[in-house]
Amino acid sequence: MSALLSVEDLAVNYGHIEAVKGIGFELEAGEITALVGANGAGKSTTLLALSGLLRPARGRVLFDGEDVTRLKPHQIVRRGLVQVAEGRAILATLSVRENLALGAYARRDPAGVAASLEEVFHLFPRLEERLEQKAGNLSGGEQQMLAIGRAMMAKPRLLLLDEPSMGLAPLLVQDIFRTLVAINRTGLTVLLVEQNVRQALRIARRGFVLETGRIVLEGSGDQLLGDPRVVEAYLGG
Amino acid sequence: MSILRHTLLWTAALLAGAAGGAADIKIGLAEALTGGAAQYGVPIRNGFQLAADEINAKGGIQGSKILLVIEDEQGKKEEVINVFKKLIFQDKVLMIFGPTLSNSMFAAGPVANAAKVVAFGTSNTANGITDIGPYIFRNSVMESDVLPVTVATAVKHYKIKKVAVIYGNDDAFTKSGYDVFKKVLADQKIPVTATETYVKGDVDFKAQLTKIKATDPDAIVCSALAEEAANIMLQARSLGIKAPFIGGNGFNSPKLFEISKQAGDGTFVGSPWSNTNPDPANVHFVGAYKQKFGSEPNQFAAQAYDALHIAAAALKSIKLTGRLEADRQALRDALPKVSINGATGPFKFRPAAPKDGKPGGYDADQKPFIYILQQGKFNLYTGK
Amino acid sequence: MEWLANFWATYSTLVYSVGVFALMALSIWLTLACGLLSLANAAFMCIGAYVSALLSLHAGWPFGATLAAAGAAPALVALVIGMPTLRLSGVYLAMATLAFGEVVRIVVLNLEVTGGPEGLNGIPQSTTGWHILAILAVVVYGLLRLQRSRVGRAFEAIREDEVAASLMGINVARHKLFAFVLGAVIAGLAGGLNAHYTFFISPREYGFENAVDILTMVVLGGIGGLAGPMLGAAIITLLPELLRSLHEFRGIVNGLILVLVVLFLPKGIWDPRRLRALFGLGPGRDPGC
Amino acid sequence: MFTQQLLNALTLGSVYALFALGFTLVFGVLAVINLSHGAVFMVGSYAALTLVTRLHLPLGIALPAAMALSGCLGMAIDVLILKPLRARNAPHLIPMIATIGVAIMLSSAAQGIFGAEILRFPEGTIPAGEFTLGEVHVRALELSIVGISFGLMAVLFLAIRRTQLGRALRAIAESPRSASLLGINVEGLFHATSFVAAALGGVAGVLIGLNFNAITPLMGQPILHKGIAVIILGGMGDIRGALLAGLFLGFAEVMSKAYLSSQMGDAVAFGLLFLILLVRPSGLFGRVLERKA
Amino acid sequence: MLTISGLGKHFGGLAVLEDVSFEVPAGGIFGLIGPNGAGKTTVFNLVTGLLKPTTGTVSFEGRSLAGLQPHQITRLGIARTFQNIRIFKEMTLLQNVMVGLHGALGYGPLALLLNQGSFRRAEAEARERALELLSWVKLQDRASMLADNLSYGDQRKLEFARALATGPRLLLLDEPVAGMNPAEKDALMEEIRNIAGRGFGVFLIEHDMRFVMGLCERIAVLNFGRVIAEGSPEEVRNDPGVIEAYLGREDGGAP
């Protein structure tokens, strides 16, 4: 397997603050990778830079061999790098159907879109039941399902998820994580940013620990779960 | 210091010497050439330019050419004061024509009056303009001279029992026209069934007209500018109102029938000027204007054209000394005696009644003509 | 010295206007300084101008007293409409104050006592350069003192973050109302001064365009300090005079200058830090960085 | 009389709504109060006039051509002025002032080119028919204004509601950031929106130029004020709200003139606006489009 | 010191907090923990008056805070910091802290206008006090710098000093160590201990378990808007409900 995404010396500034200070990592195709760390460690900043929403101060992002560092967000999405943003970022005033339709905005294959829609309904039957409702009226869990379902509509090759467990009941978190594993089994590569370190590392094949804008630890999910430093810092050791 | 003073003295002497010969006679023209009032200011400037060209082509005033110093006052009061001061103190003009709007004259007139320079309005019809002081002149005929005749003639012609009124209430010109109408109607004991207003920029008068229609008046008295009046007429007809219109000074424009076509037929207008007045002076003016500017003149252009001829007549009657203050005063004293026959017919001045014991300026003393609109044209009303 | 006398005779009104519009710019600057985008100041100027002119014309009050009334009347109005209005934020406040301004203009247009669209004329010419200079000096001094006190800091804090400011123990609503009312006082004074050197006032001088003109002065000059609004007022007032030779195309240049400043000088012309950097006096940042 | 007034209100209201449509669209999508919209409206009017008088084109061709021209103007304003300001993340007051500058430039340019005098369409440009139904009189021109206004509004409304592009615009209105993460070319749609909004403004200019038969460099000012009132009443950025509020303002104005006093027509409109803002800060009909980003 | 009883907050139909009751004792450091979205910041917003509770009451030193405006509550002696730092970026550090001293400056308008001694004295004292507070967080050297130019960690410290300037008896800290590295965290922990040592009550929200456990004397745990546990760090750490809610289930498999 070769690297689907490789990040080289990525640094991102937020105003005067250097939020990400030159990080590098690679994602293997077909794997789930977890990027973990405390609030403010620079996880979301990294994802926003990967999606083109923040312009890096330096460094390169290669997606499937192509340099996407300077591309616009919509161009990056069209190449199959799709993000489910933090806080679910669903479009509250639009219906569930419209949200899903917009997920396939860049696609020009109606048959493929219809097939993707069936897949999403299969993954999240609840969405089919609520198709005509305004997305803002969904429960927190349903909104997260919609956000992931909508991203799936773009037929991504790499899915970035920013804190999918935030504000969800444990039962729902289990559901979401199970779904992620299922999605991954279809061959989709996943980069997961989480505060729920234990859950994230459990499903991830590899993990990176980010602290104040730097990668301080990396390894397989199991390795990191067992690492005393991780246990102490994030699991309340 | 003394060198400077010498230089100044020399310059003054030179200027004085030059003015004594065949130097240009500088006359200021402050009109609104940009902004909302430019639609009046531009034809006024055209009228002046036409008159100046004619006078200069005929050899000017005792060998001196008239030089118009034209400034844009934008129809804003601060601007008009600035322009007046610039003309008086910097350009050192002999007198000033303008400004375009009555409101502007209220702001700038006192400046000229205090500096003892004639301010001559050609388009200011508001009451009280000439109360500002003895240096304020105008050849624009006040509505209070025109409207009583217009209304009386129309009432007699149509046997009018009651009228409705519509006017623009955010414009000094149309509002003061309305005030006069109101007084005239009260004086002539004609009941008013409805009084409606609109504001500048209104595109739709139907709400008011529908209301007027419901009161079934014998005529509609209208104080509006030509474009608005024409649209009011069109909309009135499209609502099925058949009553004729009686208009004020603002109606005096070819635009009225250009836009309203037959809708304005039967309208009574009183005016010192008309496009179709067959007097040779007017025929000459209309022809020359069309040739020079490629468009129909309007009343504002005609009054401006006459105004310069009035000033020229006054200038011809005096001897310029080159001493600015004396010349300004001489011109001021000569103006009231002028009487000419111009595009607007026979013209002479009438002193304004002193107000609060202070002497006033001079208003126009002109007999209005009454016109009736027929087949989209102004025709002189002959009484049948 | 004749030259100077001539110059002053020609341009004194222009200089007066610069002073009066500097006052207007400061009045809007004051509200902007605590984060309020108010377009009501032209209406406050209108109220001040009419109140003082009417008192001069009909009640025969001395000039000083009419000026005091010119400041007080709009302050009262500002107090009444400020309480409900200042709850609105951003463009909604701008639009509500704009609507208020239109209502004032239309009411003045339709009253008998104000002379309707014909306005008031024959107002005695009581304003002299010294009056304007003195009031401008007092206002600038007062605002400078204010700026350097807890009130000034509170304004700035409110502008940056209302919530954080309230948690610093600042009564946000009261400070906003204070800025709004004080702005109205300054605008009213400017109106009173203006009415007494132009002989004439009419409702058309206090419409939307005028409100926007004054706002433009502040944005053009810069809101970083007191110098910016005054500089902006001077430029906007003098520009038409300077561009006089361009005739009907001067509007284009006028608009273009506005657009270019907004595009290329985001903090306005008077931006102390940029100026310092420009003239090589340090790195354009405060020392210690 | 009431039926007639109702019809009067409908004509006036639909003109307001048509003008406000582009205005509110730009606010909804770009979050900019574009005060040059009145000037664009004026440019549309002059463009159609020039095409009719100089090139002797029939109105049927001049109208869409003027629409396209004003659209291009709108797009140029967006690309040249609003885009750099967006890139800089300028506070909302700044683009508003920039558009004031544009408005001054455009109306001065119009005056420089066409003069300050009132211009009008030559005779025969305008459909002249009119008819009477009982007490009610209607001109064909007015009917076509109502027709074109409602037609364009319906097309726009359906486009926004039903098409993928419309959904994308609503997504941008809610959050440009979320929209771009969905693969929507946000900048491109900003330009497109500016084009459409200005084109609508231009059409409104032509229609009013035809109806009032008076085209001047400053004709955009009064309607701009009404447009501001409409989009606030309708809830800023709300298309349906603009339609309803335009009609509502038309009714309020006509009815206050008809049954209260014609002097206070505008005072009623703005007084109402003021009060409504105090009671319902997000407008009478609409909701605020809150931006998350 | 701070008593919260039966507190509930609904946004539309969504209940963010329900029947939350606990007591923050005078002196010492009290922690409120819970997963993201559990409603912790909402508690702070209710206490400081930024939100009005749907049910329940908050009282401070025996006095009910119901109906009070945020600035009034601040003046009673409660100050707070924010999760996403809210300093005044365009102002200098000194000015930031002096804004916090707003309530303490009592000069009248006349003194202000005439630049009287009382005004100058009060301002000078405020300046001194502000510099002292900056020195507590070791920022006194950069007092005249714009706050925007500070690093993330220093911005947090500045926010701290600014909160202390309002003269609180209770300090509410919302995730004070978010975005800090372990060394910075340790340093800040010391600062907070120092501040508590000076007699301020501290009530903090935090994610970082190590930090909370090491610092707090008592902890309440919030999950889904309800208090699920309260007690000493030891008690909380061993509470099975807390472990499940906060750390996720041990057996990540099927339910």
Side-chain angles (χ1 to χ4, degrees):
Chain A
M1 279 201 283
S2 69
L4 180 64
L5 182 83
S6 70
V7 174
E8 301 165 6
D9 190 31
L10 185 73
V12 192
N13 294 340
Y14 244 144
H16 292 276
I17 298 161
E18 195 177 33
V20 175
K21 299 168 181 166
I23 60 171
F25 60 88
E26 292 199 332
L27 298 187
E28 298 297 327
E31 286 187 349
I32 297 182
T33 309
L35 193 59
V36 299
N39 255 0
K43 306 182 303 272
S44 294
T45 308
T46 306
L47 286 204
L48 292 177
L50 293 184
S51 282
L53 279 168
L54 289 177
R55 179 138 291 197
R58 62 167 197 273
R60 274 205 321 166
V61 178
L62 296 179
F63 181 59
D64 205 9
E66 183 191 5
D67 188 340
V68 298
T69 323
R70 301 278 155 201
L71 292 186
K72 301 254 165 57
H74 69 272
Q75 294 168 322
I76 292 176
V77 172
R78 281 167 202 205
R79 282 163 176 72
L81 198 166
V82 180
Q83 176 171 176
V84 179
E86 187 183 359
R88 301 186 279 276
I90 51 113
L91 298 162
T93 59
L94 274 65
S95 70
V96 170
R97 185 194 290 279
E98 289 174 322
N99 266 280
L100 291 174
L102 276 178
Y105 184 79
R107 293 174 67 179
R108 296 284 173 269
D109 55 331
V113 172
S116 295
L117 192 62
E118 282 311 309
E119 269 175 59
V120 171
F121 289 158
H122 180 73
L123 279 171
F124 304 110
R126 288 296 289 274
L127 294 183
E128 193 170 7
E129 293 163 23
R130 309 230 153 185
L131 211 51
E132 303 306 333
Q133 285 201 14
K134 286 257 180 289
N137 296 338
L138 300 183
S139 73
E142 287 164 344
Q143 289 187 2
Q144 188 62 63
M145 292 174 195
L146 175 58
I148 296 173
R150 191 178 62 184
M152 295 303 291
M153 293 298 293
K155 208 168 186 193
R157 289 193 291 154
L158 169 59
L159 189 63
L160 312 179
L161 294 124
D162 197 353
E163 308 248 7
S165 75
M166 190 203 260
L168 298 186
L171 223 62
L172 280 171
V173 175
Q174 307 288 345
D175 274 353
I176 295 288
F177 276 67
R178 255 202 316 275
T179 311
L180 290 182
V181 171
I183 289 173
N184 173 247
R185 287 213 183 100
T186 66
L188 181 60
T189 317
V190 174
L191 176 62
L192 181 63
V193 156
E194 258 302 333
Q195 280 195 53
N196 197 330
V197 175
R198 195 188 302 258
Q199 291 276 20
L201 291 178
R202 209 184 283 281
I203 65 166
R205 201 180 138 82
R206 281 157 50 76
F208 299 92
V209 178
L210 209 57
E211 204 169 272
T212 57
R214 287 202 175 81
I215 291 178
V216 292
L217 281 174
E218 60 175 289
S220 75
D222 290 341
Q223 269 173 346
L224 288 177
L225 266 179
D227 189 305
R229 286 169 294 182
V230 174
V231 172
E232 189 200 1
Y234 302 104
L235 306 177
Chain B
M1 206 55 194
S2 72
I3 294 175
L4 181 66
R5 231 173 75 197
H6 266 106
T7 319
L8 283 172
L9 283 173
W10 264 107
T11 318
L14 274 173
L15 282 173
D24 292 342
I25 298 173
K26 280 208 272 184
I27 290 182
L29 183 58
E31 301 292 347
L33 303 176
T34 57
Q39 49 178 308
Y40 319 116
V42 171
I44 292 173
R45 182 196 56 195
N46 291 349
F48 273 107
Q49 272 174 343
L50 179 63
D53 289 354
E54 283 181 8
I55 293 167
N56 289 339
K58 285 183 190 158
I61 314 272
Q62 289 144 14
S64 300
K65 290 203 182 325
I66 287 181
L67 177 68
L68 292 176
V69 183
I70 302 171
E71 291 292 349
D72 177 15
E73 43 94 347
Q74 293 181 297
K76 292 182 189 161
K77 67 169 187 180
E78 273 93 358
E79 200 69 18
V80 78
I81 293 176
N82 291 340
V83 163
F84 261 55
K85 287 186 163 179
K86 177 177 177 290
L87 290 172
I88 293 171
F89 298 110
Q90 192 146 311
D91 299 328
K92 303 194 189 306
V93 298
L94 211 51
M95 65 172 290
I96 298 173
F97 285 108
T100 306
L101 300 174
S102 294
N103 285 353
S104 304
M105 184 59 114
F106 281 125
V111 173
N113 198 62
K116 298 194 192 311
V117 176
V118 168
F120 191 140
T122 65
S123 54
N124 317 129
T125 55
N127 280 325
I129 288 275
T130 43
D131 292 344
I132 294 170
Y135 290 83
I136 311 299
F137 289 73
R138 64 172 152 188
N139 71 334
S140 34
V141 180
M142 284 191 297
E143 303 264 55
S144 54
D145 290 338
V146 181
L147 296 186
V149 192
T150 319
V151 171
T153 313
V155 164
K156 209 172 130 208
H157 181 82
Y158 289 118
K159 301 182 179 54
I160 289 166
K161 301 278 185 303
K162 56 188 196 302
V163 296
V165 180
I166 182 165
Y167 71 100
N169 78 329
D170 67 336
D171 180 88
F173 178 71
T174 54
K175 169 67 167 41
S176 76
Y178 161 72
D179 289 340
V180 177
F181 267 128
K182 191 172 154 192
K183 186 169 174 299
V184 168
L185 290 169
D187 289 348
Q188 302 186 6
K189 301 198 170 52
I190 300 159
V192 174
T193 59
T195 302
E196 296 299 319
T197 64
Y198 65 88
V199 295
K200 225 176 277 164
D202 268 5
V203 292
D204 194 330
F205 309 98
K206 284 207 244 112
Q208 295 93 318
L209 289 169
T210 305
K211 215 171 146 187
I212 284 177
K213 188 187 176 196
T215 67
D216 193 25
D218 298 328
I220 299 173
V221 167
C222 177
S223 178
L225 299 173
E227 287 83 2
E228 288 154 348
N231 279 294
I232 289 173
M233 288 170 177
L234 282 168
Q235 293 186 7
R237 301 299 173 236
S238 84
L239 286 170
I241 297 175
K242 305 224 163 47
F245 280 80
I246 301 171
N249 216 350
F251 278 37
N252 292 316
S253 162
K255 282 173 185 160
L256 187 72
F257 44 80
E258 272 173 29
I259 305 171
S260 68
K261 312 290 175 211
Q262 313 284 317
D265 276 7
T267 299
F268 267 84
V269 186
S271 168
W273 179 79
S274 158
N275 207 14
T276 52
N277 180 3
D279 188 276
N282 188 47
V283 172
H284 165 75
F285 161 71
V286 172
Y289 188 97
K290 265 198 242 180
Q291 199 191 353
K292 189 167 167 65
F293 300 106
S295 61
E296 294 278 342
N298 62 14
Q299 180 200 343
F300 297 109
Q303 286 176 323
Y305 175 82
D306 278 5
L308 196 65
H309 281 290
I310 292 168
L315 284 167
K316 278 177 185 155
S317 73
I318 59 171
K319 176 115 184 70
L320 292 176
T321 62
R323 278 177 296 117
L324 194 57
E325 275 173 33
D327 287 346
R328 282 171 172 173
Q329 186 62 38
L331 178 56
R332 146 75 182 77
D333 295 338
L335 267 174
K337 297 171 200 130
V338 173
S339 102
I340 66 159
N341 188 36
T344 61
F347 176 88
K348 61 181 194 296
F349 282 110
R350 177 184 72 198
K355 202 186 167 198
D356 307 333
K358 285 185 292 181
Y362 288 83
D363 290 318
D365 187 5
Q366 254 183 321
K367 206 171 149 285
F369 303 105
I370 307 300
Y371 293 91
I372 182 165
L373 211 62
Q374 285 165 331
Q375 329 254 271
K377 271 216 168 74
F378 285 123
N379 290 324
L380 204 58
Y381 180 68
T382 50
K384 62 176 188 67
Chain C
M1 287 307 96
E2 190 189 328
W3 175 84
L4 191 67
N6 244 340
F7 177 85
W8 182 248
T10 309
Y11 292 109
S12 59
T13 309
L14 201 60
V15 175
Y16 290 1
S17 298
V18 170
V20 164
F21 285 102
L23 281 174
M24 286 308 296
L26 288 174
S27 88
I28 281 202
W29 172 83
L30 182 61
T31 48
L32 279 176
C34 79
L36 299 168
L37 173 51
S38 158
L39 294 173
N41 294 37
F44 292 140
M45 184 185 187
C46 177
I47 295 171
Y50 270 93
V51 164
S52 67
L54 286 171
L55 289 172
S56 286
L57 285 172
H58 299 319
W61 283 28
F63 183 50
T66 67
L67 269 189
L76 217 63
V77 177
L79 201 63
V80 173
I81 69 155
M83 291 201 230
T85 317
L86 296 178
R87 288 182 302 133
L88 299 170
S89 61
V91 288
Y92 290 95
L93 177 67
M95 295 305 143
T97 48
L98 173 70
F100 163 76
E102 281 294 288
V103 172
V104 167
R105 192 180 62 81
I106 294 164
V107 167
V108 169
L109 202 57
N110 285 292
L111 285 181
E112 279 294 319
V113 66
T114 56
E118 287 145 279
L120 294 175
N121 64 68
I123 303 165
Q125 198 189 20
S126 316
T127 305
T128 67
W130 294 116
H131 290 124
I132 296 176
L133 198 63
I135 290 183
L136 190 61
V138 167
V139 166
V140 169
Y141 174 78
L143 291 179
L144 269 179
R145 303 249 26 103
L146 207 64
Q147 209 185 3
R148 290 180 188 163
S149 74
R150 66 179 195 136
V151 184
R153 283 192 298 270
F155 283 172
E156 206 175 336
I158 292 170
R159 188 180 76 209
E160 283 207 40
D161 189 334
E162 229 173 85
V163 169
S166 73
L167 290 172
M168 294 291 106
I170 293 167
N171 188 340
V172 173
R174 214 160 69 189
H175 276 84
K176 281 181 169 181
L177 190 63
F178 176 64
F180 192 60
V181 171
L182 196 58
V185 172
I186 299 173
L189 285 174
L193 288 169
N194 179 259
H196 286 83
Y197 72 82
T198 56
F199 310 97
F200 168 79
I201 51 174
S202 79
R204 61 155 64 207
E205 296 155 35
Y206 309 103
F208 172 67
E209 283 76 21
N210 308 78
V212 166
D213 270 355
I214 300 161
L215 187 63
T216 307
M217 293 171 187
V218 181
V219 172
L220 186 74
I223 64 163
L226 293 173
M230 292 195 279
L231 182 68
I235 292 174
I236 296 275
T237 313
L238 296 178
L239 203 57
E241 242 10 80
L242 300 174
L243 300 179
R244 189 168 274 289
S245 57
L246 294 171
H247 300 295
E248 49 262 274
F249 290 94
R250 69 177 164 176
I252 302 178
V253 179
N254 215 336
L256 190 66
I257 290 175
L258 196 59
V259 170
L260 292 179
V261 166
V262 166
L263 280 180
F264 297 108
L265 300 173
K267 296 203 162 167
I269 294 172
W270 186 261
D271 177 5
R273 260 185 287 165
R274 194 175 39 77
L275 287 177
R276 234 178 293 155
L278 203 66
F279 294 111
L281 302 170
R285 274 190 190 171
D286 294 81
C289 179
Chain D
M1 174 165 145
F2 182 72
T3 328
Q4 181 73 50
Q5 294 290 25
L6 222 55
L7 190 78
N8 298 344
L10 185 68
T11 325
L12 189 63
S14 59
V15 166
Y16 286 166
L18 182 60
F19 178 82
L21 210 55
F23 202 17
T24 208
L25 187 66
V26 166
F27 182 82
V29 178
L30 282 80
V32 166
I33 297 191
N34 181 0
L35 293 181
S36 69
H37 199 60
V40 170
F41 162 92
M42 176 271 299
V43 169
S45 210
Y46 273 105
L49 179 73
T50 311
L51 292 172
V52 168
T53 53
R54 299 274 162 83
L55 302 182
H56 305 288
L57 294 175
L59 195 61
I61 297 173
L63 180 70
M67 192 170 170
L69 274 171
S70 25
C72 291
L73 176 65
M75 193 148 99
I77 295 171
D78 188 51
V79 172
L80 293 176
I81 297 164
L82 300 181
K83 188 180 177 186
L85 293 177
R86 273 199 296 275
R88 192 170 91 202
N89 225 342
H92 55 243
L93 176 60
I94 296 300
M96 195 168 105
I97 287 173
T99 58
I100 292 172
V102 174
I104 297 174
M105 279 167 72
L106 289 177
S107 48
S108 308
Q111 199 188 336
I113 298 167
F114 298 99
E117 282 166 65
I118 295 179
L119 301 180
R120 62 187 55 80
F121 284 99
E123 213 175 331
T125 320
I126 306 160
E130 66 175 70
F131 37 91
T132 307
L133 296 164
E135 276 286 273
V136 182
H137 297 262
V138 197
R139 279 199 297 161
L141 179 62
E142 279 151 11
L143 272 192
S144 44
I145 286 176
V146 175
I148 293 177
S149 301
F150 273 84
L152 285 174
M153 286 187 274
V155 167
L156 186 69
F157 189 73
L158 285 177
I160 295 272
R161 280 287 136 201
R162 299 257 186 271
T163 67
Q164 186 76 329
L165 202 68
R167 281 191 282 270
L169 285 181
R170 280 186 289 147
I172 295 175
E174 208 179 313
S175 161
R177 164 173 288 203
S178 296
S180 67
L181 283 179
L182 295 172
I184 295 169
N185 181 354
V186 175
E187 274 298 321
L189 285 188
F190 280 160
H191 301 332
T193 303
S194 300
F195 181 91
V196 171
L200 288 170
V203 173
V206 179
L207 293 181
I208 290 177
L210 284 169
N211 190 32
F212 188 50
N213 213 354
I215 299 167
T216 71
L218 296 175
M219 66 189 284
Q221 278 303 334
I223 192 140
L224 182 69
H225 296 185
K226 297 290 164 60
I228 291 173
V230 168
I231 69 167
I232 289 174
L233 284 177
M236 301 190 57
D238 192 307
I239 303 278
R240 196 186 42 179
L243 171 60
L244 289 173
L247 293 175
F248 176 81
L249 193 70
F251 274 88
E253 218 180 289
V254 166
M255 293 305 161
S256 67
K257 277 176 185 166
Y259 298 104
L260 295 170
S261 145
S262 50
Q263 299 198 351
M264 289 294 172
D266 279 4
V268 168
F270 286 104
L272 210 62
L273 174 63
F274 183 70
L275 292 178
I276 286 171
L277 272 173
L278 295 188
V279 182
R280 286 201 55 166
S282 55
L284 197 55
F285 302 105
R287 49 176 171 74
V288 194
L289 275 172
E290 272 189 87
R291 291 182 160 250
K292 291 177 177 173
Chain E
M1 190 174 209
L2 187 75
T3 312
I4 291 173
S5 56
L7 203 60
K9 179 69 193 174
H10 298 227
F11 291 110
L14 194 67
V16 178
L17 286 184
E18 255 177 301
D19 196 24
V20 169
S21 302
F22 55 84
E23 207 165 307
V24 179
I29 303 171
F30 185 90
L32 180 64
I33 64 170
N36 260 352
K40 302 182 299 288
T41 300
T42 306
V43 172
F44 271 21
N45 287 342
L46 290 169
V47 170
T48 49
L50 294 179
L51 293 173
K52 301 282 162 234
T54 313
T55 60
T57 56
V58 181
S59 56
F60 180 61
E61 296 177 330
R63 185 179 166 176
S64 168
L65 300 183
L68 292 187
Q69 297 286 317
H71 69 271
Q72 294 169 316
I73 293 173
T74 304
R75 291 191 185 186
L76 282 179
I78 299 179
R80 79 173 275 190
T81 66
F82 293 89
Q83 187 179 344
N84 46 344
I85 308 173
R86 296 176 85 157
I87 52 167
F88 306 122
K89 293 188 172 175
E90 296 286 314
M91 298 168 85
T92 66
L93 272 59
L94 186 72
Q95 283 174 325
N96 262 279
V97 180
M98 283 179 81
V99 169
L101 293 163
H102 183 87
L105 286 165
Y107 47 77
L110 208 64
L112 159 67
L113 275 181
L114 301 179
N115 196 16
Q116 276 176 354
S118 61
F119 164 78
R120 283 199 305 267
R121 253 193 321 279
E123 282 283 310
E125 278 166 21
R127 212 182 146 81
E128 282 307 306
R129 174 78 181 140
L131 284 172
E132 185 192 346
L133 286 167
L134 280 174
S135 75
W136 286 13
V137 292
K138 301 179 183 65
L139 287 174
Q140 72 275 28
D141 297 340
R142 284 178 273 178
S144 61
M145 186 171 147
L146 277 197
D148 197 28
N149 297 332
L150 286 180
S151 74
Y152 189 78
D154 286 343
Q155 290 192 357
R156 282 226 172 272
K157 289 194 203 158
L158 172 63
E159 203 186 19
F160 237 68
R162 192 184 65 176
L164 290 174
T166 65
R169 289 188 294 287
L170 180 66
L171 194 57
L172 273 49
L173 305 177
D174 196 346
E175 301 208 19
V177 294
M180 293 191 168
N181 64 34
E184 287 173 327
K185 280 180 192 171
D186 287 340
L188 195 67
M189 219 150 136
E190 260 326 291
E191 299 285 357
I192 294 173
R193 275 211 192 90
N194 282 340
I195 285 163
R198 290 177 203 261
F200 295 97
V202 175
F203 174 16
L204 63 84
I205 291 175
E206 192 44 76
H207 264 282
D208 189 316
M209 292 299 282
R210 185 180 61 104
F211 185 80
V212 172
M213 298 292 169
L215 200 58
C216 297
E217 283 133 38
R218 280 188 77 77
I219 295 173
V221 187
L222 209 56
N223 197 20
F224 290 100
R226 290 173 182 279
V227 176
I228 55 169
E230 198 199 328
S232 69
E234 208 50 41
E235 289 163 1
V236 166
R237 194 198 309 247
N238 296 324
D239 188 307
V242 174
I243 293 170
E244 184 185 323
Y246 194 67
L247 305 176
R249 272 196 214 195
E250 279 295 335
D251 58 346

